């Protein structure tokens, strides 16, 4: 671009505004050529495009301003864009090369409709056939950007010629345009295969690169054609380093898709990848090494790639060092032993001036280092942490946590440093994990948390630490050492943290008798707090610990009250309290549903039907409460007892069909009620005597006892049909149910709304569905899984191992087991980290019969996508623990 477009010559009186001074003692000031420009003023300046005598310099400045505004996100109205477009087209009369290039850019940015495109097409086609190569290349790029398929056929001949043009700039422009056009007009671009193949043999590096990219895009849906292309090119006809990098990617893709045995060393194309490690171009070497490390190769095949990456670690070029250490970092996640030979070179990078390189080097060393090197690494890291950003600090903290879990004796290597919320949360989570996994780390870990909370400005983290401290602190050898830190939170923090601190003090008082007098004194001081929540908690805990309020029948009930988790969702508790009517009978929390569900009637509205705008919003009611109330009002089901669970609706019809039907499975101890929600979406029909015939021959433990048909189903209304089955009490019976909808159809006159007296019997086949083991499990979370697990009777624990076979990924295996059991994942353990080869998942739930169940799952990859699983179950009933294993074994 000419100097007048990027330097001081572009700045006019209204644009030359200072925005930064280099130094207070230096009078030299930097100027921004675009500071303070406004869209309205620039549009006014665009009138210069209409002048009979064009001022090239002024027009160039105006277009530059317009492009700047567009790239800064400024939006032009349709009228403004059209006016600018027409004005810019008049600049084709100028022969100035710099202005012409700006015109091309502007047309690409503001062409808004096909009508406007036609106006400029002739000028662009003239430039496309110009003798000036710069005009030709840019005209091709602009034309292919703004035309549609109809106009493309008119210029196809010119594009084919341009692909094989002797000038590499023109040929590359045509090939790049073809890559973009192939997305919208693939059939047209496919006809260019011969010309593109010729371009692939070009001696010009960029032409060969773009030609290979376009040829692969043309053949990408034909696996055999791609394989032949790669096979022909790997014989050494590619000279361009960029094209060679592309070929390496295509080769690795073909190898991944190949079904050949990957362990024999005789796989196709691997010799090409290995030979690329000796290429004279550094980018080719890096690409080949990266692709080899991403493949499932043997240690012998991996070694050459690791060797070349190790050589790049000592390169004088920062980009090579960064690329090498990033690749080694990824390898270290899955194959740390393969990277250990690079540890000496990696340690030298810890002091690299580029902090990204240094961070990657440190995290790689933390994955590959041995126990003897931990202390030395930690000493260097401590001096390093203050110089890096929070996102890098988080990576380092997570790597240290993994290292401490790998070498438990090094648990003292915990960092404390200034930073933002995410970084401090990573530290807190890491310390809590170490305390949970390494028993010897509890004392020092809790002290670290106490010191951490002294300077923590985040309410969420302070409350999290206090909650954990209340559960773990009283069980240490010297609980009194933590009281000072907790009491400081009562004095110095905001109301939320003060309330958490009061609860934590109460937990110490409940578990440590020697501290109870001191706790009483501290809690009494809280009675004078300015916040209601703090005073109310202090009052409740004083009376509870002092025995003035009866919480259960013994000391265990008091501890359960203080330490137990609320296994009732707050939304359900609120809904039940809203519907509770004061009476002599006290409110019974055990009757509150422990699973949140959507509203019971899942209606499928007919097209165009809207709810009344004046309808008042009902008070929130949990789904199970609403279902219980509805079912108990039906005489046939009134004696079934308390409803345990209601499933989500299962669709039994396709979308946009004549009738919309879904089923909700209501689970009782000895019964299952199937609620079919039916919607009539045909305006000209009235359905009467609507029933569902259920074939339960594949559900042997179920026997149908009654059904409740639907008398009438008008257009756009939803009605319910019920079918009840008896089953063995508290047994998770499973089976498949076939369904047939039967009814009488009566024609309706849409003008009057009256239906014919005579009807025709008809039937409609519905989809089948199953009652599965997960239907007998409530997804009930626990706030502290470790405490809940330890409070379960160890005698109820059942452990076994299973082979889950070949799976797409570890995440898919975790999801499958969660769905089979129907339990609630705890503490975010359902999320599997990327590239993980092992994972642990925690689940909780309540099985039919109100039996609490906790599950610990450990997954691991034992071969190529072969997943092994260890399942540990604890429950209130050992027989249920056995039953969970039976469910997994049969699932």
């Amino acid at each position: 671009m000419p100097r007048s477009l990027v330097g001081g010559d572009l700045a006019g009186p209204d644009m030359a505004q200072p925005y930064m001074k280099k130094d207070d003692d230096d009078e030299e000031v930097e100027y921004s050529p675009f500071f303070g420009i406004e869209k309205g003023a620039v549009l006014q300046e665009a009138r210069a495009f209409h002048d009979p005598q064009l001022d090239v310099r002024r027009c160039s400045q105006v277009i530059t301003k317009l492009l700047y505004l567009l790239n800064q996100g400024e939006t032009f109205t349709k009228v403004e864009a059209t006016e600018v477009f027409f004005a810019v087209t008049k600049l084709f009369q100028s022969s100035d090369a710099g202005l012409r290039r700006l015109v091309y850019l502007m047309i690409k940015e503001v062409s808004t409709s096909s009508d406007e495109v036609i106006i400029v097409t002739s000028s662009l086609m003239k430039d496309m056939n110009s003798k000036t190569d710069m005009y030709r290349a840019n005209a091709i790029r602009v034309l292919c950007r703004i035309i549609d398929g109809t106009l493309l056929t008119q210029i196809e001949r010119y594009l084919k010629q341009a692909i094989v043009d002797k000038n590499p700039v023109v040929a590359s422009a045509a090939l790049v345009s073809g890559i973009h056009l192939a997305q919208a007009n693939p059939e047209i671009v496919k006809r260019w295969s011969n010309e593109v193949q010729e371009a692939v043999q070009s001696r010009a590096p960029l032409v060969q690169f773009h030609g290979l990219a376009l040829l692969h895009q043309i053949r990408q849906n034909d696996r055999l054609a791609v394989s032949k292309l790669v096979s022909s090119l790997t014989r050494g006809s590619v000279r361009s380093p960029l094209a060679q990098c592309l070929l390496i990617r295509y080769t690795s893709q073909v190898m991944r898709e190949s079904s050949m045995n990957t362990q024999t060393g005789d796989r196709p194309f691997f010799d090409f990848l290995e030979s690329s490690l000796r290429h004279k171009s550094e980018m080719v070497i890096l690409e080949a090494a990266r692709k080899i490390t991403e493949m499932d190769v043997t240690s012998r095949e991996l070694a050459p790639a690791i060797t070349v990456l190790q050589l790049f670690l000592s390169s004088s070029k920062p980009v090579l060092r960064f690329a090498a250490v990033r690749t080694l970092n990824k390898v270290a996640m899955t194959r740390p032993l393969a990277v250990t030979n690079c540890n000496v070179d990696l340690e030298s990078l810890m002091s690299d001036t580029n902090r990204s390189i240094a961070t990657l080097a440190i995290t790689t060393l933390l994955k590959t280092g041995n126990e003897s090197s931990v202390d030395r690494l930690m000493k260097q890291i401590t001096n390093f942490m203050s110089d890096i950003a929070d996102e890098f600090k988080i990576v380092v903290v997570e790597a240290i946590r993994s290292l401490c879990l790998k070498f438990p004796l090094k648990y003292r290597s915990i960092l404390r440093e200034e930073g933002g919320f995410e970084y401090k949360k990573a530290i807190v989570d890491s310390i809590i994990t170490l305390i949970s996994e390494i028993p010897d780390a509890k004392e020092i870990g809790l002290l670290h948390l106490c010191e951490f909370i002294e300077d923590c400005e985040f309410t969420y983290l302070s409350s999290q630490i206090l909650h954990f401290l209340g559960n773990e602190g009283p069980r240490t050898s010297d609980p009194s050492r933590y009281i000072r830190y907790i009491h400081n939170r009562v004095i110095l923090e905001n109301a939320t943290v003060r309330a958490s601190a009061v609860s934590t003090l109460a937990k110490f008082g409940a578990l440590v008798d020697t501290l109870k007098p001191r706790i009483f004194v501290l809690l009494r001081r809280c009675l004078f707090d300015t916040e209601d929540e703090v005073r109310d908690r202090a009052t409740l805990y004083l009376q509870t610990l002092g025995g003035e309020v009866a919480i259960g029948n013994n000391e265990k009930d008091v501890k359960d009250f203080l330490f137990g988790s609320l296994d009732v969702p707050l939304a359900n508790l609120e809904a039940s309290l809203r519907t509770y009517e004061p009476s002599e009978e006290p409110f019974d929390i055990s009757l509150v549903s422990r699973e949140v569900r959507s509203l019971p009637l899942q209606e499928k509205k007919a097209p165009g039907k809207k709810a009344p705008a004046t309808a008042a919003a009902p008070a929130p009611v949990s789904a199970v409460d609403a279902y219980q109330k509805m079912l108990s009002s039906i005489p046939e089901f009134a004696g079934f007892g308390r409803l345990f669970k209601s499933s989500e609706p299962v669709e039994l019809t396709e979308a946009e069909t004549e009738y919309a039907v879904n089923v909700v499975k209501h689970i009782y101890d000895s019964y299952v009620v199937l609620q079919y929600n039916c919607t009539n979406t045909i305006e000209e029909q009235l359905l009467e005597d609507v029933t569902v015939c259920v074939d339960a021959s594949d559900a042997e433990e179920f026997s149908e006892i009654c059904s409740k048909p639907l008398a009438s189903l008008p257009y756009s209304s939803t009605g319910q049909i019920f079918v009840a089955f008896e089953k063995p009490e508290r047994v998770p019976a499973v089976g498949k149910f076939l369904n047939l909808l039967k009814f009488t159809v009566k024609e309706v006159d849409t003008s009057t709304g009256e239906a014919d007296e005579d009807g025709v019997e008809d039937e409609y086949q519905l989809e089948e569905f199953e009652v599965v083991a997960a239907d007998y499990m409530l997804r009930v979370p626990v706030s502290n899984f470790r405490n809940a697990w330890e409070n379960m009777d160890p005698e109820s624990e059942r452990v076994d191992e299973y082979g889950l076979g070949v799976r797409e990924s570890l995440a898919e295996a975790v999801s499958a087991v969660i769905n089979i059991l129907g339990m609630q994942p705890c503490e975010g353990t359902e999320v599997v980290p990327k590239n993980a080869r092992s994972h642990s998942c925690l689940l909780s739930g309540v099985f039919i019969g109100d039996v609490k169940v906790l599950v610990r799952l450990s997954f691991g990859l034992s071969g190529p996508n072969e997943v092994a699983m260890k399942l540990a179950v604890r429950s209130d009933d050992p027989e249920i623990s056995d039953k969970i294993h039976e469910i997994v074994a049969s699932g």
Side-chain angles (χ1 to χ4, degrees):
M1 188 175 287
R3 178 178 178 273
S4 62
L5 299 183
V6 296
D9 290 344
L10 180 60
D14 60 328
M15 300 172 67
Q17 300 289 336
Y19 66 96
M20 187 181 75
K21 200 169 185 177
K22 282 188 175 179
D23 191 270
D24 291 339
D25 299 327
D26 190 352
E27 294 184 358
E28 185 178 357
V29 178
E30 292 185 358
Y31 290 90
S32 167
F34 303 110
F35 185 82
I37 65 173
E38 297 179 356
K39 182 179 74 171
V42 177
L43 291 175
Q44 289 291 327
E45 292 180 40
R47 294 179 179 178
F49 300 162
H50 298 280
D51 293 346
Q53 297 295 323
L54 290 175
D55 184 337
V56 172
R57 181 174 177 276
R58 185 183 178 195
C59 291
S60 297
Q61 289 181 0
V62 175
I63 292 182
T64 304
K65 293 180 187 179
L66 289 168
L67 290 170
Y68 172 79
L69 290 172
L70 289 168
N71 281 280
Q72 291 298 309
E74 188 74 52
T75 56
F76 286 11
T77 65
K78 177 75 172 176
V79 174
E80 291 171 344
T82 302
E83 290 178 353
V84 169
F85 181 82
F86 280 118
V88 168
T89 58
K90 295 192 175 184
L91 299 180
F92 274 102
Q93 59 186 305
S94 172
S95 58
D96 183 82
L99 180 59
R100 182 65 59 89
R101 294 175 70 182
L102 288 171
V103 169
Y104 292 137
L105 285 174
M106 199 64 199
I107 289 173
K108 283 200 297 183
E109 292 292 337
V110 299
S111 57
T112 53
S113 69
S114 57
D115 296 336
E116 296 166 2
V117 167
I118 291 174
I119 296 170
V120 79
T121 299
S122 59
S123 298
L124 290 172
M125 290 183 68
K126 180 180 177 182
D127 282 356
M128 193 168 65
N129 295 298
S130 169
K131 294 180 181 179
T132 306
D133 291 334
M134 189 274 292
Y135 285 3
R136 294 168 60 201
N138 282 293
I140 289 171
R141 290 177 183 270
V142 177
L143 264 176
C144 294
R145 175 75 174 268
I146 65 177
I147 62 174
D148 56 17
T150 306
L151 289 173
L152 178 59
T153 56
Q154 298 178 21
I155 65 169
E156 183 180 5
R157 177 168 59 91
Y158 300 107
L159 292 174
K160 285 184 176 182
Q161 292 173 357
I163 289 174
V164 295
D165 196 277
K166 293 181 181 180
N167 187 298
V169 176
V170 176
S172 279
L175 290 166
V176 171
S177 299
I179 293 172
H180 292 299
L181 290 169
Q183 299 174 10
N185 302 278
E187 296 304 320
I188 295 177
V189 178
K190 280 182 181 179
R191 300 200 291 257
W192 308 350
S193 293
N194 293 335
E195 289 78 10
V196 177
Q197 281 180 313
E198 186 176 338
V200 172
Q201 304 304 322
S202 171
R203 301 184 68 87
L206 274 180
V207 174
Q208 191 173 50
F209 169 62
H210 292 138
L212 178 56
L214 179 54
L215 192 58
H216 178 267
Q217 189 164 349
I218 291 173
R219 299 182 179 181
Q220 63 182 351
N221 295 323
D222 186 342
R223 185 179 296 181
L224 181 60
V226 172
S227 181
K228 288 181 178 179
L229 171 65
V230 170
S231 180
S232 64
L233 293 177
T234 51
R235 298 191 184 102
S237 59
V238 177
R239 303 180 187 86
S240 164
L242 286 169
Q244 184 90 347
C245 289
L246 267 188
L247 184 58
I248 290 171
R249 293 184 184 184
Y250 299 153
T251 302
S252 65
Q253 178 186 349
V254 171
M255 292 175 67
R256 275 199 311 272
E257 294 172 350
S258 173
S259 58
M260 294 185 178
N261 186 354
T262 60
Q263 300 298 323
T264 62
D266 190 29
R267 77 188 78 188
F269 311 123
F270 188 81
D271 288 342
F272 165 72
L273 292 182
E274 201 167 30
S275 66
S276 297
L277 294 173
R278 298 183 290 276
H279 198 276
K280 61 183 180 180
S281 171
E282 293 163 340
M283 75 168 77
V284 174
I285 297 172
L286 278 170
E287 188 67 27
R290 191 169 66 89
K291 286 302 175 185
I292 290 174
T293 59
E294 290 175 357
M295 298 168 64
D296 185 15
V297 295
T298 64
S299 298
R300 181 182 62 81
E301 293 167 332
L302 182 62
I306 299 297
T307 301
V308 298
L309 291 171
Q310 185 176 5
L311 292 173
F312 282 143
L313 291 178
S314 55
S315 170
S316 59
K317 300 177 181 178
V319 67
L320 291 181
R321 299 199 303 274
F322 176 78
V325 73
R326 184 175 64 170
T327 304
L328 290 171
N329 185 272
K330 291 180 180 178
V331 177
M333 292 179 184
T334 53
R335 307 180 71 165
L337 291 178
V339 188
T340 51
N341 291 336
C342 306
N343 281 3
V344 174
D345 300 278
L346 288 169
E347 286 190 31
S348 66
L349 292 181
M350 289 177 61
S351 57
D352 197 284
T353 53
N354 186 311
R355 284 313 187 193
S356 297
I357 295 175
T359 304
L360 286 169
I362 287 172
T363 53
T364 306
L365 283 167
L366 289 173
K367 295 181 179 72
T368 61
N370 53 38
E371 192 165 5
S372 61
S373 66
V374 172
D375 292 331
R376 178 166 45 83
L377 283 174
M378 291 305 303
K379 185 176 180 181
Q380 291 180 268
I381 291 171
T382 304
N383 299 327
F384 163 84
M385 289 293 283
S386 59
D387 297 332
I388 62 175
D390 276 7
E391 57 265 28
F392 292 135
K393 290 179 182 177
I394 293 171
V395 174
V396 174
V397 168
E398 291 174 349
I400 292 172
R401 177 176 61 188
S402 301
L403 185 72
C404 291
L405 292 175
K406 184 178 178 182
F407 304 117
L409 295 178
K410 300 298 180 182
Y411 61 80
R412 294 175 180 271
S413 304
I414 300 173
L415 290 173
R416 288 189 64 229
E417 186 63 48
E418 291 302 317
F421 173 78
E422 292 297 337
Y423 169 59
K424 290 191 173 182
K425 184 177 185 298
I427 291 181
V428 172
D429 291 343
S430 297
I431 295 175
I432 290 175
T433 300
L434 294 178
I435 293 173
S436 303
E437 299 293 333
I438 307 173
D440 291 342
K442 179 181 287 188
E443 301 266 348
I444 190 172
L446 291 176
L447 282 176
H448 269 290
L449 289 176
C450 288
E451 294 170 3
F452 190 94
I453 202 174
E454 292 282 301
D455 301 320
C456 182
E457 69 273 29
F458 300 108
T459 298
Y460 171 81
L461 293 181
S462 297
S463 299
Q464 181 187 7
I465 293 171
L466 287 168
H467 177 74
F468 185 78
L469 191 60
N471 291 330
E472 300 295 332
R475 298 183 173 95
T476 59
S477 59
D478 185 11
S480 62
R481 67 168 69 176
Y482 309 112
I483 299 300
R484 174 174 63 85
Y485 296 101
I486 302 170
H487 185 241
N488 285 345
R489 298 308 100 210
V490 177
I491 300 171
L492 302 174
E493 288 285 0
N494 59 50
T496 302
V497 178
R498 295 203 306 274
S500 297
V502 168
S503 298
T504 303
L505 287 172
K507 291 178 180 180
F508 275 79
L511 287 182
V512 186
D513 290 336
T514 57
L515 289 177
K516 187 173 288 188
R518 183 179 175 187
I519 298 298
F520 268 74
V521 173
L522 297 177
L523 289 177
R524 287 193 184 99
R525 293 178 183 173
C526 297
L527 296 176
F528 302 99
D529 197 277
T530 57
E531 191 68 29
D532 290 344
E533 175 75 9
V534 179
R535 292 197 305 272
D536 290 348
R537 288 196 187 196
T539 302
L540 174 63
Y541 293 138
L542 279 170
Q543 294 180 352
T544 302
L545 295 175
E548 299 175 33
V549 175
I551 305 292
N553 300 316
N554 50 42
E555 186 178 353
K556 180 180 181 297
D557 291 335
V558 175
K559 293 179 180 178
D560 287 342
F561 169 70
L562 289 173
F563 290 92
S565 60
L566 181 66
D567 57 359
V568 177
L570 292 178
N572 290 3
L573 180 59
E574 179 187 1
S576 297
L577 288 170
R578 285 178 178 274
T579 57
Y580 171 70
E581 297 180 1
S583 63
E584 294 182 359
E585 290 292 325
F587 178 79
D588 188 354
I589 195 172
S590 64
L591 298 178
V592 180
S593 168
R594 281 169 285 185
E595 187 172 48
V596 176
R597 285 294 181 209
S598 55
L599 292 178
L601 303 182
Q602 299 291 326
E603 298 188 9
K604 182 173 179 179
K605 294 291 184 183
K609 193 75 174 180
K610 295 183 179 179
T614 57
V621 179
S622 72
V624 173
D625 286 344
Y627 283 131
Q628 173 77 58
K629 188 174 182 179
M630 176 185 66
L631 292 169
S632 61
S633 66
I634 301 174
E636 292 90 338
F637 312 139
F640 284 5
R642 185 170 69 88
L643 178 63
F644 174 71
K645 177 182 178 179
S646 296
S647 74
E648 291 285 358
V650 179
E651 296 295 335
L652 303 182
T653 55
E654 298 290 337
E656 307 301 329
T657 54
E658 305 97 301
Y659 313 108
V661 182
N662 62 49
V663 64
V664 177
K665 296 170 278 187
H666 301 295
I667 309 297
Y668 293 83
D669 282 351
S670 304
Y671 304 92
V672 172
V673 176
L674 304 178
Q675 173 187 328
Y676 295 88
N677 300 314
C678 306
T679 304
N680 176 14
T681 63
I682 302 178
E683 190 174 2
E684 297 82 8
Q685 289 185 358
L686 170 67
L687 307 185
E688 293 185 347
D689 302 323
V690 188
T691 61
V692 176
C693 295
V694 183
D695 180 359
S697 56
D698 291 335
E700 298 177 356
E701 295 183 272
F702 294 84
S703 58
E704 184 175 339
I705 55 175
C706 66
S707 63
K708 192 174 185 303
L710 184 62
S712 176
L713 188 63
Y715 164 66
S716 188
S717 65
T718 296
Q720 287 74 44
I721 303 163
F722 298 91
V723 182
F725 291 84
E726 189 174 17
K727 68 172 188 65
E729 185 176 4
R730 296 188 179 181
V731 172
V734 297
K736 183 184 295 183
F737 295 81
L738 307 179
N739 310 278
L740 183 66
L741 185 68
K742 290 190 174 183
F743 47 84
T744 300
V745 182
K746 292 185 176 181
E747 295 294 328
V748 176
D749 185 344
T750 55
S751 60
T752 62
E754 295 181 358
D756 293 344
E757 294 184 2
D758 298 326
V760 179
E761 292 187 357
D762 199 356
E763 59 186 38
Y764 189 84
Q765 185 65 50
L766 304 176
E767 298 286 339
E768 62 186 39
F769 69 91
E770 292 183 77
V771 172
V772 295
D775 290 324
Y776 298 94
M777 181 75 74
L778 289 175
R779 298 170 69 99
V780 179
V782 293
S783 58
N784 188 318
F785 186 91
R786 182 166 179 257
N787 273 357
W789 180 268
E790 291 177 351
N791 290 333
M792 284 278 189
D793 184 3
E795 296 297 322
S796 70
E797 184 172 344
R798 301 290 185 269
V799 183
D800 205 347
E801 296 181 354
Y802 301 87
L804 303 184
V806 177
R807 297 282 177 168
E808 290 183 7
S809 64
L810 209 57
E812 190 265 334
V814 172
S815 177
V817 176
I818 292 174
N819 291 334
I820 288 172
L821 294 176
M823 300 180 71
Q824 175 68 39
C826 300
E827 301 174 9
T829 53
E830 73 276 16
V831 180
V832 181
K834 188 178 180 182
N835 297 323
R837 297 187 64 84
S838 62
H839 184 67
S840 297
C841 184
L842 310 176
L843 306 176
S844 67
V846 174
F847 200 65
I848 189 167
D850 288 333
V851 181
K852 293 182 181 179
V853 182
L854 298 176
V855 167
R856 274 182 165 168
L857 300 168
S858 298
F859 296 87
L861 291 174
S862 57
N865 293 336
E866 287 275 350
V867 179
M869 180 184 75
K870 181 179 179 181
L871 169 64
V873 185
R874 287 189 181 183
S875 71
D876 291 340
D877 184 348
E879 291 185 5
I880 300 302
S881 298
D882 293 326
K883 179 63 67 177
I884 297 300
H885 279 279
E886 291 175 14
I887 292 171
V888 172
S890 61

